[in-house]
Amino acid sequence: MCKKRAHNCFSLLKNIMPKEREYTVEERANVVTLREQGHSYREIQCTTKIAFSACHDIYKKFQSTGSTANRKRLGPPIKFTSPIKKRIATLVKRQPNIVSREIAEDLTKNFGRKFSKSARRIRSIRKAMGYIGSMGIPQEVLTDTHKEKRIHYCNQHRKDYFSNVIWSDEKPWGLYKRRQLLWRIHGRIVPKRPTTKYQPILQCWGAISP
């Protein structure tokens, strides 16, 4: 392996297949052969165009199992029927910030099958339904305790006179605050938002009187 080719190895990363691709038995055997011949993982990566981490995992698996063949499936693959897809759509619509792991847990609870390894399939189904990721706008909500205290205060001072009272309050705003990721229907425009390295805070005071 020439030094020039090893030096330009990073330029070949664009042509490397993604890690999610399942490599063939011949490709794995080639990685094992090159490793047994004394080549480094970086040299094997440049030669086979297989990711560095994948080369390491392939040879590590070969050392532990003595084979490069795929493991036998423990059971048949899960078929996502119409009721399951309908349940996924209901969960995403009811809770836009739900993640694939939580959907898999709900499906396991309702359909009695293990969906723990189906997160990628769930993401594909959600994408096929037209949902894409976007940043949600934060919204403060009042708890039941807050609402009860406000109603109690209004009833308690319903007949009072507030001509000599000044109402004041303060509120800090975090500019360019990070927002939560949620899923929206494809086609809606998402505006760009400015951001800074350190979040500036704007503190405001206000007062009113009758």
Side-chain angles (χ1 to χ4, degrees), residues 68 84 134 161:
T68 57
I84 296 177
S134 61
Y161 296 95

Side-chain angles (χ1 to χ4, degrees), residues 89-108:
T90 302
L91 293 174
V92 175
K93 185 177 181 180
R94 182 185 304 170
Q95 188 178 356
N97 60 344
I98 191 171
V99 297
S100 301
R101 176 181 53 82
E102 296 173 344
I103 296 177
E105 293 176 356
D106 183 271
L107 296 178
T108 301

